[in-house]
Amino acid sequence: MENLTQKIPTEKKEEPKSSAFENSLKSSDTEEQIDIWFYRPIGYQIALFCAKVGITPNPVTIVSIFFGVGAGILFYYQELWINVIGMLLLVFANSLDSADGQLARMTNNKSRLGRILDGAAGDFWFIAIHVAICLRSQNEGWSAFIWVPGVVAGASHVVQSAMADYYRNVHLFFIKGTSGSELDNSRELQKEYDTLTWGKNFGMKLVARFYLNYTKMQESFSPNLQKLLGIVREKYSSGLPEWLITEFRAQNKPLMKYTNIIQFNTRVLFLFLWLFIDQAWIYFLFDIFVLNPILIYMCVSQEKVSRHFYQKIVS
């Protein structure tokens, strides 16, 4: 996306300096309370250690994938004590997932590959979890039909996570500009993809293809938002006006709670509950029939906000 540097008012009230911990967060608008109370403080300590010993964000993300997949494997077993170990591993994996982003912001070590790995990490965790629950259910007497809701719930999870992440970055873009957001667009990604060759850049081209498709999916679910971003690029190439920053934040901030609901914390709390009562299969129904309606409401609401601001800019 074209660089949009926000205009800074000439006169601004002096604000209290943020702590190092607060600076490691994306934004208070997009942070969930459980994350601020629990995962971000743990992630911050991990990030401090990694920065001290010279570990970069991407290895932290990769390690989180192993812990998350390991957690999923342990959910295959019906013994509760094994499941509890899996729960602890999943909590630690998410702490690492928090730490990699905090570390990237603390050390200013951000990269496209890091963003792709970070987005893919959760998908790997939940692929393992879904497979484990399907196999566990078959051991409990379910037919192979259990794979149908398992796959549907898995596909739902991918879309839910993708759109929640996208809308968070859109919000950050409008309140912080490109420096505080990781918002990408398929047009620029396509240009980068076309410069790579399968012969010389096979690995990176494969990853770029995956990320390009991922971004196109996000854009396909948000046509009004794409129109808004297009007119913003065209009309405000030198910086977003203050009225747009202020009004967009006011109208869009209430929608951030829905991005949190369909992300990690809510689904995992309910997953743990159903593991404790030995009814893990209910997780698939929760994903399909509870989180998907929230996803739809979130997308429809975001589209209304985008249409409102598009019409206001072009009028």
Side-chain angles (χ1 to χ4, degrees):
M1 177 172 290
E2 296 175 22
N3 187 29
L4 298 178
T5 305
Q6 294 178 309
K7 296 176 180 177
I8 302 175
T10 54
E11 294 184 6
K12 191 173 183 179
K13 292 182 180 179
E14 187 175 346
E15 297 179 354
K17 291 184 179 180
S18 300
S19 67
F21 170 70
E22 291 171 334
N23 288 332
S24 74
L25 307 178
K26 287 185 177 180
S27 166
S28 59
D29 285 6
T30 59
E31 293 286 354
E32 192 171 0
Q33 206 59 50
I34 293 177
D35 290 333
I36 294 175
W37 288 340
F38 184 75
Y39 286 108
R40 299 298 183 250
I42 295 175
Y44 180 63
Q45 294 303 319
I46 296 172
L48 285 176
F49 172 79
C50 292
K52 185 176 181 179
V53 299
I55 299 175
T56 56
N58 288 354
V60 177
T61 308
I62 293 170
V63 171
S64 79
I65 293 175
F66 284 99
F67 275 99
V69 171
I73 292 171
L74 293 184
F75 295 153
Y76 164 78
Y77 301 94
Q78 285 186 267
E79 290 83 353
L80 181 58
W81 68 271
I82 297 179
N83 295 165
V84 170
I85 295 175
M87 296 175 197
L88 294 175
L89 289 181
L90 190 57
V91 167
F92 184 63
N94 198 51
S95 299
L96 290 172
D97 188 58
S98 177
D100 62 12
Q102 290 172 277
L103 178 62
R105 287 183 286 276
M106 288 166 53
T107 60
N108 197 28
N109 187 355
K110 301 177 183 179
S111 67
R112 175 69 52 69
L113 179 60
R115 171 157 168 70
I116 295 171
L117 284 173
D118 188 59
D123 291 337
F124 280 114
W125 304 350
F126 283 94
I127 287 172
I129 291 170
H130 282 237
V131 170
I133 292 176
C134 287
L135 294 174
R136 171 184 178 140
S137 298
Q138 285 189 283
N139 287 344
E140 294 170 349
W142 287 76
S143 71
F145 179 77
I146 191 64
W147 287 90
V148 174
V151 171
V152 172
S156 299
H157 173 266
V158 170
V159 177
Q160 291 160 11
S161 297
M163 295 313 298
D165 179 68
Y166 191 59
Y167 288 142
R168 281 179 173 179
N169 278 302
V170 166
H171 187 79
L172 292 171
F173 170 75
F174 275 95
I175 67 173
K176 288 189 172 184
T178 54
S179 62
S181 170
E182 297 174 328
L183 186 64
D184 288 312
N185 69 83
S186 60
R187 184 183 59 191
E188 296 301 320
L189 292 176
Q190 184 70 58
K191 292 178 181 177
E192 294 178 15
Y193 175 80
D194 291 339
T195 63
L196 301 173
T197 63
W198 288 109
K200 294 181 179 180
N201 316 104
F202 179 84
M204 283 305 301
K205 194 170 179 72
L206 184 64
V207 171
R209 180 75 256 178
F210 165 81
Y211 190 57
L212 176 59
N213 291 342
Y214 178 83
T215 304
K216 284 183 176 179
M217 178 189 70
Q218 292 172 318
E219 293 174 349
S220 69
F221 277 84
S222 54
N224 287 333
L225 176 56
Q226 302 314 309
K227 291 171 66 177
L228 173 61
L229 292 172
I231 196 68
V232 165
R233 287 195 297 266
E234 177 185 333
K235 195 165 184 177
Y236 304 121
S237 58
S238 60
L240 300 180
E242 286 299 321
W243 72 263
L244 179 56
I245 299 169
T246 303
E247 293 185 24
F248 186 89
R249 182 179 189 182
Q251 290 200 32
N252 202 63
K253 184 178 177 180
L255 301 183
M256 291 299 99
K257 62 177 174 287
Y258 300 110
T259 69
N260 291 328
I261 291 172
I262 63 175
Q263 285 281 64
F264 180 84
N265 291 327
T266 302
R267 67 175 67 245
V268 165
L269 287 173
F270 280 96
L271 171 62
F272 290 177
L273 170 64
W274 290 313
L275 285 167
F276 270 109
I277 64 175
D278 196 20
Q279 300 294 329
W281 59 273
I282 301 178
Y283 173 72
F284 296 152
L285 302 184
F286 177 75
D287 214 330
I288 297 169
F289 296 111
V290 176
L291 296 185
N292 273 342
I294 296 174
L295 166 71
I296 293 170
Y297 180 79
M298 179 184 72
C299 291
V300 170
S301 300
Q302 182 71 64
E303 285 292 277
K304 287 181 180 179
V305 170
S306 299
R307 182 167 59 249
H308 166 78
F309 283 103
Y310 176 80
Q311 292 172 348
K312 189 168 186 177
I313 292 172
V314 298
S315 61

